[in-house]
Amino acid sequence: MRVVANGKPREVGPGATVEDLIRFVGLDPQYVIVEHNGEALERKRYGEARLTEGDRLELVRAVAGG
Amino acid sequence: MASHDPLVIAGREFASRLIVGTGKFGSFEVMRDALEASRTEIVTVALRRVDLEATGGPDILEFIDPDRYLLLPNTSGAMDAEEAVRIANLARAAGMPAWVKLEVTPEPRYLLPDPVETLKAAEALVKGGFTVLPYINADPVLAKRLEEVGCATVMPLGSWIGSNKGIRTCEAVQIIVEQATVPVVVDAGLGAPSHAAEAMEMGVDAVLVNTAIAIAGDPVEMAGAFRLGVEAGRRAFLAGKPAERDVAEASSPLTGFLEGT
């Protein structure tokens, strides 16, 4: 199954969740902010939000800034 | 020293009147130590897309203790109101506080805040339950409008972001201070502790400093210096800074001089 994460296509396994994807790309879910198909996704839902073919994800994080 | 003189924003008390940004530090360790030396209680961060090709390394949030500092996400990078609201919503969904430093700066050379989009975004964010701290030009009318739509502070610039020119907007900031019923925070351009002291002496409620601390020769030492500058300025304001005069007024008595011999 293919989703688009931060503008690039990415293969994920069937039934994968947002949390699975975050871990798969080497990130810690507690530091990742997610927009799932244009909607801000609450952190507590990362583990239950299932990905489906063609989903668009934006993975965002806090960075240094004023 | 004033025994209890907290900064109060949206009903929350802060002992420090110095807000510190996290940009441009040489390392997260230096940033952490500078935050500590500044005694700040409010720390800004930006939000950016993760580079999925380079996900190693520590996260900045590992270096900012959420029990000690209020994390204030900014909306930097937003070109219009819609983007600012999108960024704020993302931060809140991810469990950050529902506080936002609103900045809409579509023009890259001077990074001047867009007043129309800032007001639009502020209205939407306040309605959405956010505590909104907007970065604005030193415009007293805009400051009043933002206050009326429910912003928790107004944050006029001293000079351009990162310019270190100090408070070049004195007279407009003075009007904002005179009219405001919410805290006034001078944000941007303060390049030295004396600039911070000057702003505080004018009666602004707090200042936000980033570049001047982060790129100093010794950022930790400079953070401590800014702490003292802010404190000195605040105490001078509370003490009642005397008015300027155009002619001399002797400090020593003008009587009882020795007779000529």
Side-chain angles (χ1 to χ4, degrees), chain A residues 5-8 10 25-27 30-35 39-44 46 57-66, chain B residues 21-23 44-50 52-53 55 58-62 74 86 89-91 93-96 101 103 208 210:
Chain A
N6 289 7
K8 282 197 180 157
R10 203 166 270 274
V25 297
L27 294 165
Q30 70 169 313
Y31 297 124
V32 181
I33 298 167
V34 179
E35 193 178 63
E39 295 289 329
L41 183 65
E42 282 183 57
R43 188 185 305 281
K44 59 177 188 246
Y46 292 178
L57 293 125
E58 286 290 334
L59 305 185
V60 175
R61 75 192 319 178
V63 299
Chain B
T22 57
T44 68
V45 291
L47 301 185
R48 290 292 181 273
R49 210 181 211 192
V50 180
L52 296 180
E53 312 306 319
T55 52
D59 191 277
I60 190 172
L61 297 184
E62 294 171 46
N74 70 31
R86 179 184 179 198
N89 278 326
L90 277 174
M96 287 191 190
K101 178 188 163 185
E103 45 180 311
L208 193 157
N210 185 350

Side-chain angles (χ1 to χ4, degrees), chain B residues 44-187:
Chain B
T44 68
V45 291
L47 301 185
R48 290 292 181 273
R49 210 181 211 192
V50 180
D51 178 359
L52 296 180
E53 312 306 319
T55 52
D59 191 277
I60 190 172
L61 297 184
E62 294 171 46
F63 296 83
I64 305 171
D65 179 356
D67 294 328
R68 181 161 177 186
Y69 305 110
L70 173 73
L71 195 64
L72 182 62
N74 70 31
T75 63
S76 65
M79 306 294 273
D80 58 27
E82 198 182 323
E83 286 182 14
V85 171
R86 179 184 179 198
I87 294 169
N89 278 326
L90 277 174
R92 180 169 63 181
M96 287 191 190
W99 287 51
V100 61
K101 178 188 163 185
L102 172 61
E103 45 180 311
V104 185
T105 55
E107 170 282 312
R109 182 166 163 84
Y110 297 103
L111 291 171
L112 286 170
D114 180 323
V116 177
E117 295 298 317
T118 300
L119 182 60
K120 268 206 297 209
E123 238 175 324
L125 289 167
V126 169
K127 275 193 194 128
F130 283 91
T131 297
V132 181
L133 293 76
Y135 170 60
I136 57 170
N137 208 326
D139 178 344
V141 178
L142 178 63
K144 212 59 208 166
R145 292 288 299 269
L146 286 162
E147 197 181 307
E148 283 162 10
V149 302
C151 287
T153 64
V154 288
M155 304 211 292
L157 55 82
S159 46
W160 322 146
I161 292 175
S163 69
N164 296 322
K165 283 170 179 283
I167 179 156
R168 299 290 180 92
T169 49
C170 273
E171 302 200 350
V173 168
Q174 198 76 70
I175 297 171
I176 293 173
V177 168
E178 184 190 312
Q179 296 181 342
T181 59
V182 295
V184 178
V185 182
V186 168
D187 175 9

